[in-house]
Amino acid sequence: MARKEIETASVAEAYLALLADRGIEYLFANAGTDFAPIVEAYAKAAHTGLPAPKPLIATHENLAMSMAHGYAVASGKVPAVMVHVSVGTANALCGVFNAARANVPILFTAGRSPLTEEGLDGARDTYIHWAQEMFDQAGMLREMVKWDYELRNGTQLETVIDRALTLATSPPEGPVYLSLPREVLAEQLPGFAYESPARRVAASPPAPDEAAVAAAAEILARAQNPLIITADAGRDLAAVPALAEFAERFAVPVVEHRQRHLCLPSDHPCHLGYDPTPLLDSADAILVIDCDVPWTPSRKAPSANCKIVHIGVDPLFSRYPIRGFACDVAITGATRLVLPRLGMALAPLADPTEIGMRRQRLAQQHETQRAGWRKLGDEAKSLCPIHPAWVSACLAAARDPGSILVNEYTLLPEHCPSIRPGSFFGSSPAAGLGWGAGAALGVKLAKPDRQVVAVLGDGSYLFANPVAVHHAATVHRLPVLFVVVNNAMWGAVRRATLGMYPKGEAARSNRPPFIDLDELPAFEQVCAAAGGYGERVDDPAALPGAFERALHAVTVEKRQALLNVICRGP
């Protein structure tokens, strides 16, 4: 144990130095009057050499959260975010919800309206300090975070920060919230001593119960048509080879359903696409691995005789108010730890002949599926308006093999496959719109040498606060390609309405309300106004050339680019 002492004058200075010591590289922020001690501390650090995270300005709170989210998933490190008191917290709620449901550890902080009206450094001196105070500022997001607290004084600083970081990074991971009153940050602190490295660490991932593993092995051994459905296994990079080895060894098909990470390389022989629906009828055992919604019961569910095993650090998704999927065995454990043990338990029980027959069936299914994808891709080439499959195929042809894709709904992975762990990030299951563009900037910050492409719908682009996004891309030198698949409508609203009322009035209407997005701005000009390259594409034949020009701007000219691709609706 080493005790470290530094010269400080305020709690704010000690706070920044402690964050830096604990590995926080960046503080994403949108400032307000509560930031005065933080601003002063950063200004002093510039000439005193006091360690501090690098400050990154984001001109909207949801952008700050989305950038931090992307940075966290791409780097594996915890970012810090700071926003302005109650109103800034409110603006960031969508991003907090996304991070919570996606299990992304973020130290989310906000100032707090000064507690005192006079008498202390940092006391109220601005009109808004009265109206912006709340009785319970953290109450608006308490359901979404793992922990919340308010810093009371400088004496407890080390304990509070270490508790925040260890809880954020203990499985299942997630955001935590810390409010920072201005008087506390301004409090005089002549010198600060703390332990370095920290003596408070995150809890280890849970290991599986052997009895549960044995029960799951018995189920799989009896199955002729087992199936694996996953969405998030690839959040842990070590789980990807574990899943690949298990699936190959026992010839079990894998579906990445509403994937948020690359869980299995698309060229793996057991990869059977992105929709489990066609396989549910024949499945007699299903491993649900790190997947909150493996199917939609009101539309299609497995047979009543199908045995279901759920695997994950929180296999029952205890933070979801209602989730009633059948579950014969639930194994609490990190996927990278569960699958090898499950493989050991299954090996002596599995029938090699059955595995061989299943392997042959799987190979045929795999080829038939890929042939269907190729056929659709060929048919989509000349369709006008442009088909989303053609957009995905053109991106697949143009992208760098080592690129990272950030998808907010509109990329079709079957036409733009990924094979490298950590090369694909999809929307949070909370589906709070406006995540993708900012997340792509965060990914680029974490992986500056990798090509980063964000694929967005027109609605998700609008929700991303585009002017703030393009400003951040320019000011922080983050050249990202944004591809807006623009069908000028709320496609999800249309699908939901037709799903409930397939023969209703809305289905017969040419223009049902709340769906069409008329007179959209020229998105490409918004990017160009920030110094980027922008191009509108409405001819399918022009799309390959447009990708070439846009990626040249990103990779050679080192500036952001946006393709506004006019597409057909769902």
Side-chain angles (χ1 to χ4, degrees):
M1 179 183 72
R3 194 79 177 160
K4 193 170 185 178
E5 296 187 15
I6 57 174
E7 292 185 12
T8 58
S10 69
V11 171
E13 293 178 29
Y15 170 69
L16 294 179
L18 185 60
L19 290 186
D21 183 86
R22 296 316 194 231
I24 304 293
E25 292 184 330
Y26 294 101
L27 175 60
F28 301 84
N30 190 28
T33 58
D34 48 319
F35 273 63
I38 295 291
V39 173
E40 178 67 12
Y42 266 117
K44 287 184 65 176
H47 61 80
T48 63
L50 182 82
K54 183 177 179 179
L56 266 81
I57 190 170
T59 52
H60 193 280
E61 292 85 354
N62 200 36
L63 171 61
M65 282 299 299
S66 296
M67 288 180 69
H69 186 143
Y71 167 83
V73 296
S75 69
K77 301 175 182 178
V78 180
V81 175
M82 186 169 178
V83 300
H84 176 46
V85 300
S86 54
V87 289
T89 300
N91 260 355
L93 284 182
C94 184
V96 176
F97 200 14
N98 280 335
R101 288 298 193 235
N103 298 118
V104 177
I106 296 174
L107 174 59
F108 177 47
T109 71
R112 188 197 184 284
S113 292
L115 302 164
T116 54
E117 294 182 307
E118 56 187 332
L120 291 178
D121 291 339
R124 297 180 185 184
D125 57 9
T126 301
Y127 174 83
I128 61 171
H129 286 160
W130 278 262
Q132 286 185 340
E133 185 179 19
M134 298 178 67
F135 289 106
D136 185 10
Q137 181 172 302
M140 71 177 96
L141 50 62
R142 186 162 294 128
E143 186 175 342
M144 305 174 204
V145 297
K146 294 186 66 180
W147 172 88
D148 71 87
Y149 195 73
E150 181 170 289
L151 186 66
R152 312 288 168 76
N153 53 64
T155 303
Q156 65 171 178
L157 180 62
E158 182 180 4
T159 299
V160 168
I161 295 304
D162 284 351
R163 181 152 181 78
L165 295 176
T166 55
L167 289 178
T169 53
S170 293
E173 297 176 324
V176 294
Y177 182 65
L178 177 64
S179 54
L180 303 165
R182 195 167 75 158
E183 296 98 325
V184 176
L185 290 175
E187 179 185 312
Q188 294 183 8
L189 190 66
F192 179 56
Y194 56 95
E195 294 173 343
S196 181
R199 293 198 62 206
R200 303 172 185 91
V201 299
S204 62
D209 173 70
E210 295 302 327
V213 170
E218 289 283 351
I219 288 173
L220 291 175
R222 291 193 297 266
Q224 292 183 321
N225 293 297
L227 171 65
I228 293 173
I229 303 175
T230 184
D232 272 355
R235 182 195 304 119
D236 180 352
L237 296 183
V240 178
L243 177 57
E245 193 277 333
F246 182 88
E248 169 68 17
R249 183 180 184 185
F250 299 106
V252 182
V254 177
V255 173
E256 294 184 286
H257 181 47
R258 302 299 293 265
Q259 62 173 153
R260 294 178 283 277
H261 299 264
L262 183 140
C263 304
L264 187 72
S266 61
D267 59 357
H268 190 281
C270 294
H271 194 293
L272 217 54
Y274 306 93
D275 180 8
T277 306
L279 304 172
L280 294 180
D281 281 338
S282 61
D284 52 4
I286 298 177
L287 286 184
V288 178
I289 301 177
D290 293 310
C291 185
D292 55 342
V293 183
W295 53 82
T296 305
S298 63
R299 295 174 180 263
K300 186 70 175 178
S303 71
N305 295 324
C306 182
K307 296 294 186 179
I308 314 294
V309 177
H310 294 253
I311 295 172
V313 295
D314 182 15
L316 302 184
F317 291 83
S318 58
R319 298 294 294 169
Y320 285 32
I322 285 293
R323 181 183 182 273
F325 295 96
C327 178
D328 298 289
V329 177
I331 302 177
T332 301
T335 296
R336 63 179 170 85
L337 302 178
V338 174
L339 288 180
R341 297 188 187 187
L342 181 57
M344 291 174 61
L346 179 57
L349 305 177
D351 182 346
T353 302
E354 185 66 45
I355 292 174
M357 293 170 58
R358 190 160 62 231
R359 197 181 306 281
Q360 291 180 352
R361 294 197 304 271
L362 180 53
Q364 183 59 52
Q365 289 175 293
H366 187 274
E367 178 50 39
T368 300
Q369 184 183 67
R370 267 54 180 182
W373 292 350
R374 289 191 295 269
K375 182 175 183 293
L376 176 59
D378 289 340
E379 293 171 350
K381 288 181 180 179
S382 57
L383 294 178
C384 195
I386 297 172
H387 194 287
W390 180 232
V391 181
S392 297
C394 289
L395 173 57
R399 64 184 281 205
D400 184 274
S403 62
I404 299 174
L405 301 180
V406 176
N407 179 36
E408 191 163 18
Y409 292 121
T410 44
L411 180 78
L412 300 179
E414 58 268 39
H415 299 287
C416 189
S418 297
I419 61 174
R420 182 173 174 177
S423 65
F424 177 94
F425 301 108
S427 299
S428 159
L433 282 185
W435 165 86
L441 297 180
V443 170
K444 184 65 176 178
L445 183 68
K447 303 290 183 181
D449 298 328
R450 302 273 293 276
Q451 184 186 88
V452 178
V453 181
V455 184
L456 317 166
D458 46 302
S460 57
Y461 177 72
L462 288 169
F463 266 65
N465 302 288
V467 172
V469 165
H470 294 303
H471 167 261
T474 296
V475 74
H476 300 307
R477 306 292 188 266
L478 299 171
V480 166
L481 170 59
F482 305 98
V483 181
V484 181
V485 182
N486 185 352
N487 59 20
M489 69 167 65
W490 293 119
V493 178
R494 181 178 184 272
R495 287 189 296 272
T497 304
L498 296 181
M500 287 188 67
Y501 305 103
K503 297 181 180 179
E505 291 298 327
R508 289 189 286 271
S509 172
N510 290 327
R511 295 184 63 78
F514 305 123
I515 290 177
D516 292 316
L517 299 176
D518 298 324
E519 306 296 333
L520 286 174
F523 298 149
E524 68 280 3
Q525 293 184 25
V526 182
C527 181
Y533 175 83
E535 183 176 347
R536 174 188 170 101
V537 188
D538 50 22
D539 178 1
L543 193 55
F547 268 110
E548 182 179 349
R549 290 185 289 275
L551 287 172
H552 182 274
V554 168
T555 58
V556 178
E557 299 171 19
K558 303 298 182 184
R559 59 184 180 129
Q560 62 182 308
L562 184 145
L563 294 182
N564 183 12
V565 185
I566 310 305
C567 289
R568 60 176 57 211

